[in-house]
């Protein structure tokens, strides 16, 4: 199967799950989220329709390492109206119009003064940018540059009916307990308002993945975290320091609904099991897959990979953040994400989970020379049909590397064969008594 | 000397040995070999005209690790005759016509039924394929596809006058004992019938190499093995387990008479001395040389590199098996192999043996600063003629790396100079008292 | 800043120092130097106008490891005159005309005989070659090939008024003592006569660098060596064996005035701190920078990197020796070197010294999660102006890698950012109490 064909196969596999994820992302899209406040709670309530989500509230002012839990933000309305009372921009039409976490204002002012509080993208004059001001108190509006250009001099009514008050920071958590405490962390930020790819896509995908995993008995435990960026992950880390040591694998998931990439950013460790497993899956994904080194800029992998934790947590995306023109604009809408891309993203993560679940280290029971596969009916096909030949090659590789030093993933890496083919061959050989599990593995 | 020129020099060096190897391969070519039987014995008898070959017989049914020694195969005649008694295919004309190790048959049957036992290559319609059925009892014929197309419907007389009976598996061995037990294994499969490159070429080359080595006092011992594929090497391994630990270097040799490659497939260890030495020789061979990673499909390196042995044994070929159109067809005939290619293959292996024989680890007797070469008449040439300059560079490299941590091969690897030039420089410097051998080396 | 722009910035930075170096090189150019004799002393006297240079004299015949200090060479005059007494070549016009270290001669001889003592470059017929004969007694002249072609048959007067006598080998040394004994060796050969790039450029650059360093308090000590090639460095090494262990970094400097390269040849160790620091600076230098592996041919790095010392000493040049057509000819004159190239070379070495001086290993005081930079006014700029964004990225990298395992240079290597930017960020973070120095560092 060539790269293009394989890629298409990936995209088309079980499109049903892609449609489910899309439908959920669509429900999340209109909600006005921020790092705190009811938007986050409303979002978690929607997710909780699918999984037994635990909601956590962290009181305003709680120390979160070097940070403190911020006040809640309540936003009721926001607009700029002209002399005739016509709303030039209106928060009710698009929640990107208000600077996220903006201070309140209620004033009349000349355009010149107002402009210093207006954010636009002159290069993309029809799009509303997404801007925030979480830690430097400010007020502002975001709008299409063309709208700004059309505004005439004169006085405007400027209203942001918002409030900051003590309350709590909210995050959601779902734990699927497996046979062991070895934990796989899957985390998506919940603080962005109406941006479909960044990150309704990630929230929806992880929720339905959690639902599907919940139906399955697993070796690992899986911890799903839906938290506002930075302070949310710091809140979880600060309250769960005992659990941190159990995290052996992790992915931050965002922007998984567009057709770019896929892109994997390695953990700070660089060659952790998750890094190797993602590299393996993406190598076989087909064209376009890109693996980039860790850097301390991005999403919550910044916190998980800070030197005091240094967790094996990478970042999974389709197009890398900041690289697509729709990024952090109103064009990151429900047209920008597609069920087939969501399905492919889901299957990539599921394939990685399959590797984490099914990797083991075999030892050959006949290490001297090859065992006679033909006598056992295992070798009929080599030189015959292609699938049979590939299955036979997988058996030969597994037997050759079954020295107790190579796990199935290592065999896949060395042979260039897919983990799934290696695992299938190893199962068959174990069934025939030709392999046993390495001691202490 | 540029690559092309060097390659030509390699090919032309001592063409006499190429002609000798070719003549011997030509004698081996007509014999109908199989994994057992008189074809192997006849072949060994021809080889024994050149070296004191020991013949070993392993009784049918003997346990060879997971395998057993197969029955002998006796083939007397095989043909398909039409209604007029004309032989359409005739084993006496080409021994590839019969499925190797075929069951006997004597019957009349319609073409339709017969066809299910006929092997052809539709893409190469004039060639007879080479097919075997060692471990799944079957009967069959191999023929040119065009011959098959020309056969008219009707009844045919089908005869394979063959027999399987208890007897023994046969292999040949020749040991050239050197000063130490450190052993270099050179192995060629002896089970293929009339295929010139695969492997009359390997059998002939190794036999004459053994003859030539026999005239020389060596540091290492050299063990030559001429055995049927898989079961033959397993037979040797199972009967010589005490000797296995002495094998420090090894090459499986096949398809060494065509003009492709040369190709070296690394041992499973990947960076054994043999892997480094072959890489060094092929680097300086010139264009076309290819080094590929170990994989568990090929010739008897599969057995030598099984996890219970993991011997430092690589595979040396010209064109890699399976990659040339003549492979496993009647086109692999005496026109396909050429004395000049056989000579080049011989010289490559001989150069590797030279490295194994002459590598040592020098220590400078004047490690602080360079010794004054000019005063000793060793430095006249630098900046003068090219050969002199190269000789001087070799001396400078040897002196600089003579810290007891670099063997001559390591010096060749780091400097990019040929082993032979490094070795010559080291000899000269030792003669002048500027080097001594490292302790414990 | 793109590569070309950066390169230009490097070249234009502080052109004043380039002009100073050029002026000093111009004063050195006319002096007729050799491995011994008054030319070396005269050169050192000029350098001593800028720094408190120590002059060392090593008596003729002194053992220098495998070598001995050679006799002094006194050269007073040399010429070839025709039958009318006209000087065809005249040492007073160009000191390259006499074979350096030539034996004396005073004779009349036919052109045919004279020719065996004449060196020219037929491919560059207008240039005088530079030739020496230090260790094989010989006499000779060097001249333009066209001059030779114009000489008519007949008898010539041949005079080399030279003398070899016991005396001493001379070298100069300047030590700038820093806070620690950790020593950086900077060495330039002083034995070449009128060749501007090779090595008036190196002598002048190092002298003014020594002057500038002398005005600065440094952590390391800096040892500058101005010595004749081979025997000079051997003389220093043999007399300073106790100091050798303190040399932790070193550069041999030659041919630093032309517009090629820059070229860095790694130390024999290959990955010493100096190798990493030079690679870092040259990576950010822009186009043309080349790093080559150590080889035992070149300048005095041959001695410093001999196996008995194996010092971390590399070679810094612009065009690599032997690769430019002016090399070792009369075309290596004052037109071939330029103030802007000398300035760039100076700045490269100064940047490397900055790394040696200012590298340290930080540990984060807030290792769990990122510290809140915004609260401290450190994070205003990310997403804003480019310089601010870059400064913020440098802070994020430093904080992320501040685990006590990464020095600032290692952070620069991993992040791809410049050492200077990393160092500035680390200083700022330390000032804000966010970093401390690793224990034992």
């Amino acid at each position: 199967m060539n790269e293009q064909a394989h890629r298409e196969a990936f995209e088309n596999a079980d499109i049903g799950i892609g449609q489910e994820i899309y439908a959920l992302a669509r429900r999340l899209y209109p909600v006005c989220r921020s790092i705190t406040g009811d938007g986050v709670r409303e979002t978690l309530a929607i997710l909780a329709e699918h999984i037994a989500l635990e909601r956590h509230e962290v009181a305003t002012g709680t120390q979160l390492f070097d940070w403190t839990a911020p006040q809640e933000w309540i936003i009721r309305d926001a607009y700029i109206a002209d002399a005739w009372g016509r709303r030039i921009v209106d928060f009710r039409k698009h929640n990107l119009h208000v600077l996220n976490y903006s201070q309140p204002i209620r004033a009349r002012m000349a355009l010149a003064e107002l402009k210093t509080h207006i954010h636009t993208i002159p290069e993309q004059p029809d799009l509303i940018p997404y801007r925030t001001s979480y830690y430097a108190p400010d007020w502002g509006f975001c709008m299409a540059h063309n709208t700004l250009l059309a505004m005439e001099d004169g006085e405007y009514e400027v209203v942001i009916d918002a409030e900051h008050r003590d309350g709590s920071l909210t995050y959601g958590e779902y734990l699927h307990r497996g046979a062991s405490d070895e934990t796989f962390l899957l985390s998506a930020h919940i603080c962005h308002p109406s941006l479909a790819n960044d990150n309704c896509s990630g929230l929806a995908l992880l929720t339905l993945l959690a639902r599907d995993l919940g139906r399955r008995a697993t070796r690992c435990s899986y911890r799903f975290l839906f938290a506002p960026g930075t302070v949310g992950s710091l809140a979880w880390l600060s309250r769960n320091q005992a659990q941190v040591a159990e995290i052996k694998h992790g992915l931050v998931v965002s922007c998984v609904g567009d057709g770019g990439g896929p892109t994997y950013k390695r953990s700070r460790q660089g060659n952790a099991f998750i890094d190797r497993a993602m590299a393996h899956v993406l190598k076989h994904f087909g064209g376009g897959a890109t693996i980039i080194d860790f850097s301390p800029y991005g999403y919550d992998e910044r916190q998980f990979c800070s030197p005091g934790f240094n967790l094996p947590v990478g970042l999974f995306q389709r197009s890398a953040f900041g690289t697509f023109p729709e990024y952090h604009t109103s064009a990151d809408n429900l047209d920008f994400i597609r069920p087939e891309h969501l399905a492919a993203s889901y299957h990539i993560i599921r394939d990685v989970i399959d590797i984490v679940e099914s990797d083991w280290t075999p030892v050959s029971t006949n290490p001297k020379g090859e065992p006679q596969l033909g006598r056992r009916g295992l070798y009929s096909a080599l030189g015959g049909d292609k699938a049979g030949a590939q299955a036979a090659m997988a058996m030969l590789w597994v037997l050759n590397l079954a020295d107790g030093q190579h796990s199935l993933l290592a065999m896949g890496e060395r042979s260039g064969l897919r983990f799934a083919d290696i695992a299938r061959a190893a199962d068959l050989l174990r069934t025939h008594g030709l392999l046993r599990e390495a001691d202490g593995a």
Side-chain angles (χ1 to χ4, degrees), chain A:
Chain A
M1 188 149 47
N2 65 22
E3 280 209 349
Q4 184 54 30
H6 180 66
R7 186 178 177 125
E8 280 164 20
F10 231 115
E11 303 265 352
N12 295 327
D14 189 9
I15 186 69
I17 184 68
Q19 285 156 343
E20 282 190 282
I21 298 168
Y22 185 85
L24 179 51
R26 187 164 47 195
R27 284 198 58 204
L28 301 175
Y29 180 72
V31 179
C32 181
R33 285 164 290 268
S34 182
I35 46 169
T36 54
D38 281 338
V40 173
R41 293 190 191 97
E42 187 181 340
T43 301
L44 292 175
I46 296 170
L47 304 185
E49 296 171 14
H50 300 275
I51 52 174
L53 198 62
E54 258 184 87
R55 203 177 86 188
H56 298 268
E57 300 284 350
V58 182
T60 299
T62 305
Q63 192 71 24
L64 309 171
F65 302 117
D66 194 52
W67 302 61
T68 50
Q71 287 190 309
E72 287 194 38
W73 184 55
I74 296 97
I75 175 78
R76 282 176 290 258
D77 198 3
Y79 61 88
I80 300 170
D82 66 11
W84 289 268
R86 288 179 307 205
R87 295 192 169 194
I88 309 295
V89 299
D90 186 350
F91 168 73
R92 291 175 189 170
K93 291 208 179 136
H94 208 305
N95 59 39
L96 292 182
H97 276 313
V98 70
L99 180 72
N100 200 291
Y101 212 71
S102 176
Q103 298 293 318
I105 184 143
R106 189 173 294 269
R108 302 189 69 84
M109 63 182 72
L111 180 60
E113 186 187 350
L114 175 56
K115 268 185 176 172
T116 65
H117 288 270
I118 286 179
H119 304 270
T120 66
I121 317 171
E123 302 77 21
Q124 297 172 297
D126 294 322
L127 305 185
I128 312 166
Y130 164 58
R131 294 283 186 276
T132 69
S133 191
Y134 293 141
Y135 303 107
D138 195 6
W139 67 266
F141 286 90
C142 303
M143 64 173 77
H145 194 65
N146 284 340
T147 309
L148 177 63
L149 293 179
M151 286 172 75
E152 289 174 9
D153 282 346
E155 213 179 52
Y156 288 88
E157 183 191 4
V158 176
V159 172
I160 297 178
D161 180 8
E163 195 182 330
H164 292 80
R165 66 172 172 221
D166 285 357
S168 58
L169 173 158
T170 311
Y171 67 84
E173 195 179 2
Y174 171 76
L175 175 64
H176 170 66
R177 198 167 284 289
S180 89
D181 289 334
E182 183 181 325
T183 300
F184 194 138
L185 175 73
L186 292 136
S187 173
H189 62 275
I190 201 169
C191 49
H192 287 195
S194 290
L195 295 166
N197 202 32
D198 185 12
N199 197 19
C200 298
S201 71
L203 296 169
L205 186 153
L206 286 192
T207 299
L208 296 182
L209 180 68
R211 177 199 66 184
D212 295 350
L213 263 180
R215 297 167 180 161
R216 192 175 151 185
T218 59
R219 189 181 66 76
C220 274
S221 297
Y222 292 81
R223 194 175 285 278
F224 292 80
L225 183 60
F226 306 96
T230 308
V231 281
S233 55
L234 291 173
W236 185 86
L237 284 164
S238 68
R239 297 172 134 217
N240 293 276
Q241 297 204 47
Q243 274 68 55
V244 164
E246 291 167 355
I247 297 175
K248 304 300 186 197
H249 320 283
L251 289 176
V252 171
V253 173
S254 74
C255 304
V256 287
D258 69 289
T263 306
Y264 177 67
K265 180 173 117 176
R266 291 188 184 92
S267 77
R268 181 182 184 273
Q269 296 182 21
N271 199 27
F273 192 89
I274 185 70
D275 300 317
R276 293 171 51 207
M278 279 297 311
H280 182 85
V281 171
L282 291 191
K283 174 183 168 176
H284 292 284
F285 174 78
T290 305
I291 295 182
I292 57 180
D293 280 331
F294 176 78
S295 83
Y297 188 59
Y299 295 95
D300 283 334
E301 71 278 8
R302 292 164 64 161
Q303 311 309 324
F304 299 125
C305 296
S306 58
F309 295 114
N310 196 24
L311 296 176
V313 175
L315 168 65
F316 177 62
Q317 309 194 282
R318 299 304 300 260
S319 292
F321 70 91
T323 65
F324 49 95
E326 296 84 358
Y327 179 71
H328 278 194
T329 74
S330 51
D332 181 359
N333 58 31
L334 290 168
D335 294 334
F336 183 52
I337 65 173
R338 306 270 308 164
E340 62 267 31
H341 305 320
L342 292 162
S345 299
Y346 176 94
H347 290 127
I348 287 169
I349 299 177
R350 191 206 54 192
D351 281 1
V352 166
I353 290 174
D354 275 345
I355 294 178
V356 168
E357 285 292 315
S358 16
D359 195 40
W360 61 287
T361 299
V363 175
S364 173
T365 56
N366 289 270
K368 295 188 171 180
E370 292 171 6
Q372 195 177 2
L373 297 176
R375 170 158 60 84
R376 296 171 174 90
L378 294 172
Y379 201 54
S380 52
L382 204 63
D385 66 301
K386 271 209 153 174
Q390 221 167 341
M393 274 309 294
M395 281 189 283
L396 292 178
W397 271 110
V398 170
L399 287 167
N400 186 268
L401 296 178
D403 54 9
Q405 307 300 313
H406 294 81
S407 80
L408 300 189
L409 178 56
M411 293 178 180
E413 291 170 332
R414 179 153 179 187
S415 68
L417 301 177
R418 277 169 200 287
F419 181 86
D421 294 333
I422 291 283
R424 197 174 306 113
D427 276 352
L428 190 61
L429 293 166
R430 178 157 59 177
T431 305
H432 281 80
L434 291 170
L435 296 179
R436 60 173 179 79
E437 190 154 5
D439 298 330

